[in-house]
Structure formats: C-alpha cells, structure tokens
Amino acid sequence: MFLNKLEINGFGKLKNLDIPLKKGINIIYGNNESGKSTIQRFIKGIIYGLYKKKGSNELISEYLKYKPWDSYSGYNGSLEYILDNNRKFRIERDFEIGFVKVFDENFIDVTNTFNYSKFTKDIMIGETHLGINYSCFEKISFIKQLEVGIGNDSQSDILNRITNIYQSGFEDVSHTKIREIIKSIVLNYIGTDKTSVRPLNIVNNKIDKLKERKENLNKLRSDFIESEIEINKLSILELQKNTELNLIEEKIVILKLEILSSDTINKIIKLKEAYDFCKSYEDEVKIIEEKIKDFEITIKENANFSAYDSDDVENMMIAFYEQSSIEKELDSIKNNIDEKYAVLDEVKYNDIYQIFSNKENLEIEDVRNKLNIMEKKIKEEKSIEIDMREDLNKYMFIERILLGSTLSFVLISFLIVVLKSFMKLDIPIAVFIVHPVTLTTLFLFIYFSIQKNKKGTKINKLLIDEINRKSKIENLEEEFKIINNEMIEKMKRMKLLDYNDYVFKKEQYVKLMEKCNLTEHEIDNLEQEHAMESRKINLIQNSIKEILFSVGIISIDENYIDEDHVREFKFGVTKYKGTEPSIKYSKQRVEDLKLNIENYKKQATIIYGEEIEDISYLSEIINKLEDESILHKNEISRLIENSEIKSDFEQLLDSDSKLDKKIELENKLFGIRKELVDIKIKKNDLTSLAKSFNFNESDLQNIEGEIISYEEKKSDLEKKAKILNLTLNLLDEANNELRVNFVPKLNNKVGEYSKIITNNRYNDIRIKEDLNIKLKSVDAKKIVGLEYLSMGTIDQIYLSLRLAVANFMSKNEKLPIIIDEAFSLYDDIRMREVLMLLNNISKENQVILFICKDNEVNFTKKYCNVNNYIDLNTYVKESQLLGIDRK
C-alpha cells in the first residue's frame, strides 16, 4: 500500500495544500514549524478520524488542536492511496461535521461497504483495508522524531524497548507490565486465599460471621422452643399437682369425679389452644402454597425474561433514549434541509435569476460581440474604400496630366501654323511636317491617347469596385442597425437600462448561481448526514426489536416501538427476578410454620398423654374429652344429689379408714405442695431464661437475606477473578506463541537489516528467551554481547529491530514507513548506512522522510533513489497563493 496524493483544504495552519507522493523514497523538506508534524497527523486523521475528547495527558483534544487557524477555511481534506492489489481508493473527510466518504477508482461511493466502530462511531477504513487499528498503524508505520536516538537512559532505554518488542511486538507495550497490572488488580481489587483485607476476604469473613450468627440464632430459637416446651410441661405438671392437690383437699367434700372433670376441662382448654394454633398455621400454609403456585405460574409466564437482567434493561433504556435523541437530531437536520431549500427557492425565484436562467437572454453578450465584429468589419471596408478613392484620384490626376500635355503640344502645333500664316514665313510644309515639335506633338498625342484608354479602363474598374464596396458597407450598416435594434429591444424586455446594466446584473446572476450550487451542496451533505443518522436509528431499533420479539412483547412484523414496550420489558424482567426470592422466602415460611405445627403437636401429645400424628385427630380427642367431662359432671351431680351417695361419703370421711386415708392424703398434700414450690421455681427460672433469649424471627430472615446478598457478591468477585486469571493464561499463551512463531523470523530479518546498516560488521543476531542479545561479529570473528558494543552500534541494531517489526506487523498490506527527523544524531557514516537500508526497503515499502536539514537531504539524494522531493518552505506558500487566486 502506498499513499498517492494528499489534499489538505484546511488542517491546522495548512490550507489549500496538495502533496503528490510516489512509490519508493519521498522527501518532504521543511524548516521547523513548517507543518511536517501536521501533515503526519493529517495522514492518520484522514484514515482513522480525530478524537473529539481530550486524553488524560492532553490540554485540548486533537479535534481542537488541528482545527484551522483561519476561520474562513474548511476543516477537511482527502487522501488517495493504492493497495497492493493495485486497487485505488479516495477518502474525503470533513472533520468539522464528522462526515466521511470513500470512493473507488471509478468514483463509485463504497462508504457503505465498511463496518462502523461501536467505540469511535466512525467507519473502519484502516481496519478493513490495512487490517490494523489506529494504534497499530501509528506504532508500525511511524518512526517519530528522535525516537531512535540515544536518550538519557542510553543503553537501558533501548534494551527496555527491545524487551517490549520481543514480548508483545510493540516497543511501548510490555507483556510483563501488563501481567503485573492484571495480577495487581486481582490482588488489590478482588483478593486471594493468601490475602486478608481484600474485597473477597472481606466478603468471606462477612459470610462466615453471618452464618455463625445464623447458627447461633437457630440454636437460640431451638433453645427458646425447648424452654417453651419445658415451661408447658412444668405448667402441665403444676396443673396436675394442683389438681392432685385439689383432689386431696376436696376429696372429703368433692368426689374424685369432680377432680377428674376439672382435669379434663383443663386438658380441653390446652388442647383447643394447640388445635387453634395448628389450624391457623395449616391455613396459612395452604395460602402460602397457593401463592407459591402463583409465583411458579408467574415464573413460567415470564420465562422469556429469564435470559435478561437489570443490565439488559438499563442498556435497552439507554438505547431507546439514544434513539429518541437521534430522532430529535434528525428533526433538526430535516429543519436545516428545509431552510436550505427555502434559501434555494429564494434564489431561484429571484427576478435576475429568472431572467438569466433563460439561455436566450444570455445570448446578448454574443450579439454584442457580433456587433463589435461587424463594426470592426465596416471600419475595415470603409478604410479599403478610402484607399480605393485615393487610387482613383491618382489615376484621374495622371489622366488630366496626359490630357493637358496632349492639348499643350496640339496648341504649340497650332501656334506654329498661325505664325506661318501671319508672319508669311515661307516655311515648306514638309519642314513643318518633319519639324521636331510637330513630330513630338504627334508622337505624344498618339502616346497620350493610348495611355488615356488604359487609364480609363482602370478608372472604370475602380469606379465599379467603389460602387460595390459602398453597397456592401450600406448592407453591413443596415444589418448592424437591425441587430443592434433587436438587442436594444431584447434588453428592454429584460428591463435593462443598457449593456453595462446587463453586465452588472449578469455578475449578480453568477453570484446567485454560486449561492445556489453551494446551497445544493450543503443540502446533499445534510441529506447524507440524515441518511447516516437514520441508519443508526435502524441499528438501534433492530437490536431493541430483536429483544422485544424474543420475549414476545412485539410481533415479528411490528415496526413501531414506543416507551410502553420498553417499560413492559423492564416490568417483565423485574417481575421475573423479583419472584424468585419471594418463592424462596415463602418456602422457608412454610417450613417454619410446619415446624411450629409439629411443636404444638408435641405439646398436645404431652397434654393428652398419647401420640398425636394428625391435627384432625386432635379435634376428635377434644370432642371425646368434652363428652367425658359432661359425663363426669352429670355423674357428680347425680352422686351429690343422691343422698345415699352423700351418706356414703360422710361414712367414708367419718370412718377410721378414712382418717388414715386423710392422714395419708395430708402427708401426700405436704409433699405435693413442696413439689409445686419446686415447679414454680423451675418455671420462673425457665420463663426468665426464655425472656433473656430475646429471639425475633425477622432477625433470622434478615440475616438469611444478607447471606444471599454477600454470596452473590462473592460469586461476582470469583467470576471476575476467574476472567482475569483466564486473561493471564491467554496472555502467556499469546506471548509463548509470539516467541515461537515471531522471534526466529524477527532474528533473521534483524540480521538481514543489520548486515546492511552496519556495513556487514554484524549480520547474525539472536534474541534469547532471557532477552540476552548476542551478535556475531565479522571483524572479531566471535559472538559478542550487546553490552560490548558502542552506543551508536546499539542504536543501529535498535533501528534494524524497529524496521524488522514494521515489516512483520504489516500483515494485509506493505505499509508505508514514515520517518520524522529520526537521524538528527547520526554521523555521516552511520547516516549513509541507514540510508542504504532504507533504499533497499523502499523497493517494497513506500518510504516518506520528513527532513529539516539540507545536509540530510543531500545525503539522501546521494545514497538513495529519491522519486519525489517537496520543499514545504516554498510549496506551502505557493499553494496558499494559488488557493487565494482560485477563490
């Protein structure tokens, strides 16, 4: 690939500058501040565009930095280049409005054949044709000012650059540093098993503490329930003892059936209480289980949303509002187009434009020229007529002379005859006849007669020509008058005062035409921009429609998307994601309720004294106990009312056996009372202990929620750590592959270049895996290390390495090598050797040298085949002057 022509209409301080380039070596010479760096940045900008955002180390953005100094100049230009397959392309870019067009060799617009970058929002010209992005193009093709020179770090600086090239292929990209950065990110922002205060460790510690607290709460809940059960047992025991006590105390006055009935009633109360709680818990379980079914139905109905999360919702919202923003911008562009069309209509309906848009009205100037030609021709014909008049007068003058001479000689002859008659001279006639005067007169008369006939013929011809010439002139003047009258009549119809008014208004018409053409061009640009923005909207809409269709919100043939669709998507995702924890909590609640039911069943078992497996069976027991209680009461009433039974009780109480029984019961009463005191003490202790537990079911649920949250954070951190560790592995694999595939070829190419650049002193170079660089010295006939070489030789080796990397990194195309003041520190010998290498490289790669010193130019021309030389010091000024004249 080589650059063919640069056209800089406005870029930085450069304007109206056309720079032709050729294959082989090109020299662009210029003093400092003459625009060399600006031209280099224009080459990169025209292919990859300019960044409108400033970098972290920049005071202003590239877009503002290279905006033309002259506000009247356009911020645009073009580049023609030819690929290795001889296909020719032309890039036209307007940096002001971000407009770019690409044409092929047939001027066919191929802009739409390129993909758009989602980062720069620009078409990917360099990525498509060259196979590399902006960063690679800058690193491969451009060797910047003093970049190959020895700096303050001298040898170590070059060794660091060589190390980076060996590891990554680029001198300013270090595989080791990148690896350390990733490891540092894993260590500092995620953490490992060996760290203690990193995010992952903090999350793990928090999870452990929450689990420990949960375990303590579960244990506390278990202890609390056991305490409640024990208290219930003690209460039952206390009740039993009290019953027994009452039976003993009232045994004399109340029959055992009375005591038994009371005990049964107490059981019924406790069992009813247990039954009511269990029943309410079972009802709640049924309600919750129905809710779980509803939740599961919701999950099933919204299963389409399972593949999406809140990030997808946020991205869709951003895309939708970005679409709205672009639509507003499209409306603005459309309004601008309408305004331009209004300007165009204003121009086209202008009276002057209407008059001169008729081509017949523009023929006045041709008629004027024709009249000028006719006027000139009339003058020429009149001049010829005057000449002919002078000839005629001349011939007539000669004729008069001849006639006078003839008459004079005739008169003389006549006088002689008269004298002869009056003076009576006897002069013989023969003497008179042969007299010289007579002969002369006769001769002259004959001669004059002949000449007179000749002159008469000539004069007649001149007279005829003069008549014809006058007729021709009259015809021309008549035609001139007719045409002139027609022109005056046409100018009157055009409402023109005179020809000067015609010229003045025609100039106005030309200006109106220029304004019309400029407006039409602006309309074309705006319509192209409108088309580009419309394509962006289509891309956004297609991405949104694809998601909405996948979840069933819209049909496949539905084109219109509004905010309700996006909200429906958000609601579906939120509903699906919100239902999962609700199901989890509901299931946990069911388990807790079932556990409470089991606890009350155990209490009922203790109260009733038999195993109760089903709560419905407890209802039958209560009914049974109620029936028994009624029977007991009826029996007691019957016994009390039965006098015989009363007498039996009185006999029983009065009998000796009853007294013994009474003593026995009193002793037993004492023991029971002591037991009741112990029961009350234990019961109070257990009640105090239960109150000290301070257990709250909501605390346990909150802790479980926190554990889930921290588990998600832990999963996210572990996922990021896994990705970064995978990146490290891929980076190491890529580095190993680079060493295996790239370095041996690089060694050969560096040796080839070094052989030329060092005048065959070092032609074999090896870069080992430990970055120990060895060279084969032809002079010393041995292998030497880089540390034994001079700084100048190290610098030459580095340049060879730099050019070799450029050769191998040009995968798709042989890219141009652009060198900017790279040899300012070289001596004459080293300069000659470098130029010989560049001359050799220029057979395949286009080489463009930016030079500011005359001696470097002379050296280059001496040792290289220079195909193109441009002196910016004069070329820029001449181009700008031509640009001013052109305007």
Side-chain angles (χ1 to χ4, degrees):
M1 175 259 191
F2 76 93
L3 309 180
N4 191 36
K5 185 179 181 182
L6 306 176
E7 296 178 358
I8 305 175
N9 299 329
F11 194 84
K13 67 178 181 179
L14 300 178
K15 64 178 181 178
N16 300 322
L17 180 62
D18 295 348
I19 300 179
L21 297 171
K22 298 180 180 179
K23 288 185 177 181
I25 293 181
N26 298 259
I27 296 178
I28 299 179
Y29 169 77
N31 297 330
N32 293 330
E33 301 297 328
S34 62
K36 298 190 296 298
S37 298
T38 303
I39 294 172
Q40 296 173 46
R41 189 59 191 88
F42 174 80
I43 294 172
K44 292 180 279 187
I46 200 72
I47 299 175
Y48 292 95
L50 293 179
Y51 292 104
K52 291 193 175 183
K53 294 182 179 180
K54 68 177 184 177
S56 57
N57 297 324
E58 296 176 339
L59 296 177
I60 59 174
S61 65
E62 287 184 331
Y63 171 79
L64 293 177
K65 181 178 180 181
Y66 292 101
K67 194 168 185 179
W69 297 3
D70 182 359
S71 60
Y72 296 100
S73 298
Y75 194 6
N76 56 73
S78 62
L79 166 66
E80 292 182 2
Y81 61 95
I82 300 176
L83 300 179
D84 290 348
N85 59 7
N86 292 325
R87 290 199 64 188
K88 186 176 182 181
F89 292 89
R90 175 184 175 88
I91 305 172
E92 295 182 355
R93 187 182 288 273
D94 192 319
F95 301 99
E96 181 75 29
I97 62 175
F99 175 79
V100 61
K101 282 283 187 181
V102 183
F103 300 92
D104 63 9
E105 61 268 19
N106 297 318
F107 296 158
I108 297 174
D109 188 349
V110 296
T111 309
N112 292 332
T113 62
F114 296 90
N115 294 325
Y116 277 85
S117 171
K118 64 180 180 180
F119 300 105
T120 62
K121 307 300 182 184
D122 200 352
I123 62 172
M124 302 168 69
I125 301 173
E127 289 82 353
T128 302
H129 278 173
L130 309 182
I132 55 178
N133 58 19
Y134 170 79
S135 178
C136 291
F137 180 66
E138 185 177 39
K139 289 174 171 50
I140 294 172
S141 285
F142 288 82
I143 300 178
K144 302 176 183 177
Q145 187 174 17
L146 299 179
E147 192 177 63
V148 301
I150 304 299
N152 294 330
D153 295 334
S154 62
Q155 184 173 344
S156 62
D157 177 62
I158 293 182
L159 287 174
N160 288 333
R161 295 185 183 186
I162 293 175
T163 300
N164 292 341
I165 291 174
Y166 174 77
Q167 291 180 340
S168 65
F170 296 113
E171 63 185 27
D172 57 351
V173 179
S174 171
H175 165 265
T176 303
K177 289 183 179 179
I178 294 174
R179 200 175 191 283
E180 291 301 321
I181 289 172
I182 295 176
K183 291 177 67 177
S184 175
I185 291 172
V186 174
L187 182 64
N188 295 322
Y189 296 98
I190 298 177
T192 63
D193 296 336
K194 297 180 181 180
T195 57
S196 60
V197 293
R198 303 306 179 194
L200 184 60
N201 310 120
I202 294 172
V203 170
N204 284 330
N205 293 336
K206 194 69 177 177
I207 291 173
D208 293 340
K209 288 180 180 180
L210 288 171
K211 286 184 176 179
E212 182 180 356
R213 188 178 172 191
K214 178 183 177 183
E215 184 178 354
N216 292 334
L217 284 176
N218 284 328
K219 187 174 181 301
L220 186 64
R221 182 173 67 174
S222 178
D223 293 341
F224 177 79
I225 293 173
E226 289 179 0
S227 298
E228 288 290 324
I229 294 173
E230 190 65 27
I231 289 172
N232 290 332
K233 287 181 179 180
L234 288 174
S235 297
I236 294 170
L237 182 60
E238 182 182 13
L239 181 61
Q240 289 174 346
K241 292 298 179 182
N242 284 324
T243 303
E244 187 178 355
L245 181 64
N246 292 330
L247 285 173
I248 293 173
E249 289 179 345
E250 297 177 359
K251 196 169 185 179
I252 298 173
V253 293
I254 300 173
L255 296 175
K256 291 182 180 181
L257 291 173
E258 179 77 14
I259 300 301
L260 182 60
S261 177
S262 299
D263 183 54
T264 302
I265 291 172
N266 289 330
K267 284 184 179 180
I268 290 171
I269 293 172
K270 293 292 183 181
L271 290 174
K272 278 188 174 181
E273 181 180 0
Y275 176 80
D276 292 337
F277 277 112
C278 289
K279 186 63 177 176
S280 64
Y281 288 153
E282 281 187 343
D283 293 339
E284 187 176 354
V285 166
K286 290 180 180 178
I287 293 172
I288 293 175
E289 286 177 343
E290 289 297 322
K291 287 184 178 180
I292 291 174
K293 290 180 180 179
D294 293 337
F295 289 147
E296 289 175 346
I297 292 173
T298 301
I299 288 290
K300 187 175 181 180
E301 289 176 348
N302 295 275
N304 293 338
F305 298 92
S306 61
Y308 304 98
D309 54 17
S310 57
D311 291 338
D312 297 315
V313 173
E314 184 178 358
N315 291 336
M316 180 176 286
M317 296 291 288
I318 291 172
F320 179 79
Y321 289 119
E322 182 181 359
Q323 172 189 335
S324 300
S325 176
I326 295 175
E327 287 175 347
K328 292 180 181 179
E329 187 175 348
L330 280 175
D331 292 338
S332 176
I333 295 172
K334 183 64 172 61
N335 293 334
N336 201 356
I337 291 173
D338 293 339
E339 291 175 1
K340 296 297 182 184
Y341 272 116
V343 172
L344 197 62
D345 291 339
E346 181 182 356
V347 172
K348 290 186 176 181
Y349 286 107
N350 185 281
D351 293 337
I352 295 176
Y353 185 92
Q354 290 288 328
I355 291 172
F356 285 91
S357 59
N358 187 351
K359 294 183 179 180
E360 293 182 0
N361 294 335
L362 295 174
E363 294 174 357
I364 289 180
E365 190 170 353
D366 296 333
V367 174
R368 176 74 175 183
N369 294 333
K370 184 176 181 180
L371 289 175
N372 291 335
I373 293 171
M374 291 179 68
E375 187 175 10
K376 183 178 179 181
K377 190 172 183 180
I378 290 171
K379 289 181 180 180
E380 290 176 353
E381 292 294 332
K382 286 185 176 181
S383 175
I384 294 172
E385 182 187 14
I386 292 170
D387 293 337
M388 292 177 66
R389 171 71 62 181
E390 290 177 356
D391 291 338
L392 182 60
N393 292 333
K394 182 177 70 174
Y395 284 117
M396 291 182 70
F397 175 75
I398 295 172
E399 185 179 10
R400 285 194 296 270
I401 292 174
L402 291 174
L403 182 58
S405 300
T406 303
L407 292 175
S408 297
F409 283 109
V410 171
L411 182 60
I412 292 170
S413 299
F414 178 76
L415 289 176
I416 293 173
V417 173
V418 171
L419 289 174
K420 178 186 178 197
S421 299
F422 284 93
M423 296 179 66
K424 297 180 180 182
L425 296 177
D426 188 9
I427 300 173
I429 295 300
V431 174
F432 173 76
I433 294 171
V434 298
H435 192 276
V437 175
T438 303
L439 292 175
T440 301
T441 300
L442 182 61
F443 173 79
L444 288 175
F445 180 80
I446 295 171
Y447 174 78
F448 288 158
S449 297
I450 294 172
Q451 290 298 323
K452 182 175 182 296
N453 290 331
K454 289 182 179 180
K455 294 298 180 182
T457 302
K458 184 69 174 178
I459 288 170
N460 289 334
K461 184 179 180 182
L462 288 173
L463 286 172
I464 292 170
D465 289 340
E466 182 182 12
I467 292 169
N468 292 334
R469 186 71 59 184
K470 281 183 179 181
S471 177
K472 184 176 182 180
I473 291 172
E474 288 175 356
N475 292 334
L476 287 172
E477 288 178 341
E478 184 65 24
E479 184 179 359
F480 176 87
K481 184 178 179 181
I482 292 171
I483 295 173
N484 187 49
N485 290 335
E486 289 177 354
M487 184 184 75
I488 292 172
E489 189 65 28
K490 182 176 287 188
M491 290 175 67
K492 285 181 180 179
R493 289 197 302 271
M494 293 174 66
K495 298 179 182 180
L496 300 174
L497 300 177
D498 51 21
Y499 184 76
N500 291 330
D501 188 27
Y502 167 81
V503 173
F504 172 76
K505 290 185 177 180
K506 184 180 179 183
E507 290 177 353
Q508 289 183 320
Y509 168 73
V510 171
K511 291 180 180 179
L512 289 172
M513 281 293 294
E514 291 176 351
K515 184 177 181 180
C516 181
N517 293 334
L518 178 61
T519 304
E520 288 176 343
H521 179 69
E522 290 174 346
I523 289 173
D524 290 340
N525 291 338
L526 288 170
E527 288 178 343
Q528 290 174 358
E529 183 180 359
H530 188 277
M532 290 177 64
E533 295 300 321
S534 297
R535 286 196 294 272
K536 289 182 182 178
I537 288 181
N538 290 335
L539 291 175
I540 293 172
Q541 285 184 337
N542 290 337
S543 64
I544 295 176
K545 284 169 60 179
E546 183 178 357
I547 296 175
L548 294 178
F549 173 73
S550 69
V551 298
I553 293 177
I554 63 173
S555 60
I556 192 170
D557 57 348
E558 191 170 355
N559 294 323
Y560 180 73
I561 298 172
D562 57 17
E563 192 170 359
D564 291 336
H565 292 140
V566 179
R567 288 177 178 173
E568 185 177 354
F569 175 77
K570 179 181 179 181
F571 175 78
V573 173
T574 304
K575 190 173 182 180
Y576 181 88
K577 296 299 179 182
T579 303
E580 290 181 334
S582 297
I583 290 177
K584 186 175 182 181
Y585 172 78
S586 298
K587 289 182 178 179
Q588 182 62 43
R589 179 61 180 166
V590 168
E591 291 178 1
D592 293 338
L593 290 173
K594 288 182 178 179
L595 181 61
N596 290 336
I597 291 172
E598 291 299 321
N599 291 333
Y600 276 107
K601 286 168 66 177
K602 290 179 181 179
Q603 292 180 16
T605 298
I606 295 171
I607 293 170
Y608 184 65
E610 292 181 5
E611 184 69 21
I612 299 175
E613 297 179 355
D614 191 1
I615 193 68
S616 61
Y617 180 61
L618 186 61
S619 177
E620 295 178 2
I621 292 172
I622 292 172
N623 292 331
K624 181 180 178 181
L625 289 175
E626 287 178 344
D627 293 337
E628 288 179 359
S629 176
I630 293 171
L631 289 174
H632 290 156
K633 286 182 179 180
N634 292 334
E635 183 66 20
I636 290 170
S637 298
R638 188 182 65 79
L639 290 174
I640 291 175
E641 292 176 357
N642 193 334
S643 60
E644 292 181 357
I645 293 176
K646 286 182 180 181
S647 63
D648 289 341
F649 271 101
E650 291 175 353
Q651 289 177 1
L652 181 62
L653 291 174
D654 293 337
S655 66
D656 294 338
S657 60
K658 292 293 181 183
L659 181 60
D660 295 337
K661 188 67 174 178
K662 180 180 179 183
I663 294 171
E664 180 184 352
L665 291 175
E666 287 178 346
N667 292 331
K668 191 175 181 179
L669 180 64
F670 177 81
I672 291 173
R673 286 176 176 172
K674 186 179 179 181
E675 288 178 359
L676 283 172
V677 171
D678 294 334
I679 288 172
K680 287 182 179 180
I681 292 172
K682 289 181 180 180
K683 186 177 179 181
N684 291 333
D685 291 338
L686 287 172
T687 302
S688 299
L689 180 62
K691 290 181 179 180
S692 67
F693 287 153
N694 194 21
F695 173 75
N696 192 342
E697 189 71 28
S698 62
D699 293 340
L700 185 60
Q701 294 175 0
N702 293 335
I703 288 174
E704 289 175 346
E706 288 186 44
I707 290 174
I708 293 172
S709 176
Y710 280 105
E711 289 285 358
E712 290 176 353
K713 291 181 181 180
K714 178 181 178 182
S715 175
D716 184 56
L717 289 171
E718 288 176 343
K719 187 184 295 182
K720 290 178 179 178
K722 184 177 180 181
I723 291 172
L724 290 172
N725 289 324
L726 179 62
T727 303
L728 280 175
N729 294 335
L730 293 175
L731 187 64
D732 291 338
E733 290 178 6
N735 184 49
N736 292 333
E737 185 178 353
L738 181 68
R739 293 187 179 188
V740 171
N741 299 328
F742 176 66
V743 173
K745 297 179 181 178
L746 180 64
N747 288 336
N748 295 333
K749 183 59 71 173
V750 172
E752 177 186 338
Y753 287 168
S754 298
K755 179 179 179 181
I756 298 172
I757 204 171
T758 62
N759 198 13
N760 206 25
R761 292 192 299 275
Y762 302 100
N763 59 2
D764 198 356
I765 298 176
R766 294 290 183 271
I767 304 176
K768 304 299 182 181
E769 291 190 1
D770 58 357
L771 302 180
N772 185 14
I773 300 174
K774 298 293 185 180
L775 302 93
K776 182 178 181 182
S777 174
V778 177
D779 297 336
K781 296 183 179 180
K782 65 178 183 179
I783 306 300
V784 297
L786 197 65
E787 63 273 11
Y788 294 101
L789 303 179
S790 67
M791 297 308 298
T793 303
I794 294 175
D795 192 23
Q796 288 178 315
I797 298 301
Y798 167 71
L799 179 60
S800 300
L801 181 61
R802 182 71 172 78
L803 294 173
V805 170
N807 178 276
F808 282 107
M809 296 300 287
S810 302
K811 295 180 180 179
N812 290 28
E813 297 287 329
K814 291 291 184 181
L815 300 178
I817 304 299
I818 301 173
I819 302 177
D820 180 19
E821 303 295 341
F823 316 120
S824 59
L825 300 180
Y826 277 27
D827 56 30
D828 292 348
I829 297 176
R830 192 172 294 123
M831 182 72 179
R832 180 193 65 194
E833 295 170 344
V834 170
L835 290 174
M836 291 173 64
L837 173 61
L838 291 176
N839 192 54
N840 190 28
I841 291 175
S842 67
K843 295 176 182 178
E844 293 185 357
N845 295 73
Q846 183 185 39
V847 178
I848 303 174
L849 300 176
F850 288 86
I851 301 175
C852 69
K853 295 180 180 179
D854 293 333
N855 64 326
E856 292 183 9
V857 173
N858 296 331
F859 252 76
T860 305
K861 290 182 177 180
K862 181 177 180 181
Y863 294 104
C864 296
N865 297 323
V866 178
N867 294 332
N868 188 25
Y869 174 78
I870 295 175
D871 186 350
L872 288 179
N873 298 328
T874 57
Y875 194 74
V876 172
K877 295 179 180 179
E878 292 175 356
S879 297
Q880 290 177 351
L881 287 173
L882 288 173
I884 294 171
D885 293 341
R886 186 164 62 249
K887 288 181 180 179

